[in-house]
Amino acid sequence: MATYVSLVDIDDRGVQNVQELSSIWGEIRTEFEEHEADVIDSYAILGGHDFLVLFEAPDRESAFKSALTLRRHGLSAETMEITHTDDFAHLVDEV
């Protein structure tokens, strides 16, 4: 499975308060599972984004569907595939 990270921002039109936000995380995890993706972890972060969601998906289609799940819940996200630095080091060694 490939690993992905989503940098998530609260959309002004979506989530109304912190209590609502905490209640939708369970729904988001369930919907990710429906797309065969597994949420590894999630974090509230300081800086240019509000949250970070780390997940694994078997393919890009599943990753796209999972990223769209965030949007449906009033969250905007920038999602990208990531590679562990050890794996990256092996790629560099092969070149």
Side-chain angles (χ1 to χ4, degrees):
M1 278 215 237
T3 306
Y4 297 85
V5 63
S6 291
L7 298 171
V8 180
D9 296 314
I10 298 174
D11 190 322
D12 295 340
R13 298 173 286 122
V15 178
Q16 300 299 316
N17 58 53
V18 176
Q19 289 80 12
E20 180 185 352
L21 182 62
S22 65
S23 72
I24 66 170
W25 282 117
E27 294 174 30
I28 289 170
R29 283 182 180 273
T30 299
E31 289 180 38
F32 269 54
E33 289 170 3
E34 291 170 2
H35 301 306
E36 301 178 8
D38 296 315
V39 174
I40 298 168
D41 224 336
S42 58
Y43 302 89
I45 56 176
L46 296 173
H49 300 283
D50 299 314
F51 297 94
L52 180 143
V53 178
L54 188 64
F55 68 98
E56 291 181 327
D59 53 41
R60 279 198 170 140
E61 181 178 331
S62 178
F64 271 110
K65 288 178 181 178
S66 298
L68 290 172
T69 293
L70 296 168
R71 186 70 183 154
R72 280 201 333 271
H73 283 280
L75 303 169
S76 59
E78 180 181 356
T79 301
M80 51 209 119
E81 186 174 354
I82 61 173
T83 300
H84 193 278
T85 52
D86 290 342
D87 296 333
F88 180 75
H90 292 290
L91 291 172
V92 172
D93 288 342
E94 292 175 7
V95 175

